[in-house]
Amino acid sequence: REQFGAPLANNQTIQFKLADMATKLHTARLMVRQAATMLDNKDPNATAFCAMAKRVATDAGFEVCNDALQLHGGYGYLQDYPIERYLRDARVHQILEGTNEIMRLIIGR
């Protein structure tokens, strides 16, 4: 997409946003992998780490999808582009298998 005669990707603010989005996704993936490893190894703290990973991953997924939608402007809402579906799917994952508020209760115990 272009704005003011130049690709949006050339804008430093957009580059920073993309870097933040990539970092959030990578962090979430690492947490999920660590939680899965702990679960496989029958670590006594696995339940809390799985709750942390679920909460962080679903929140990060939703934030990244929302940011992507913002970057696409009005096109982000069109069904011609998959972003609107990704956003809805990410939001549902914050609720399925226990809401993120319940995950916080599990972590706090």
Side-chain angles (χ1 to χ4, degrees), residues 14-77:
I14 301 299
Q15 292 171 354
F16 286 175
K17 178 61 77 178
L18 292 172
D20 290 343
M21 291 163 67
T23 302
K24 285 178 188 177
L25 286 177
H26 187 70
T27 301
R29 286 183 185 124
L30 289 174
M31 285 198 73
V32 168
R33 289 179 183 140
Q34 180 184 9
T37 299
M38 292 176 80
L39 197 59
D40 287 346
N41 294 333
K42 297 179 183 13
D43 187 298
N45 297 315
T47 300
F49 275 83
C50 287
M52 286 182 216
K54 192 263 186 197
R55 192 197 68 74
V56 167
T58 57
D59 284 349
F62 181 79
E63 290 171 14
V64 167
C65 287
N66 192 49
D67 289 343
L69 187 135
Q70 291 291 326
L71 291 176
H72 281 78
Y75 290 113
Y77 286 102

Side-chain angles (χ1 to χ4, degrees), residues 1-3 6 8 13 19-20 22 25-27 30 38 43 57 73 80 82 85 89 92 95-98 104 107 109:
R1 184 171 151 217
E2 287 194 2
Q3 192 70 28
L8 279 178
T13 303
D20 290 343
L25 286 177
H26 187 70
T27 301
L30 289 174
M38 292 176 80
D43 187 298
D80 297 344
R85 182 174 47 86
D89 290 349
V92 122
I95 299 166
L96 290 177
E97 298 296 325
R104 287 179 177 93
I107 295 162
R109 293 180 183 162

Side-chain angles (χ1 to χ4, degrees), residues 89-104:
D89 290 349
R91 178 65 182 117
V92 122
H93 286 293
Q94 289 179 308
I95 299 166
L96 290 177
E97 298 296 325
T99 66
N100 284 358
E101 288 75 20
I102 297 299
M103 295 301 117
R104 287 179 177 93

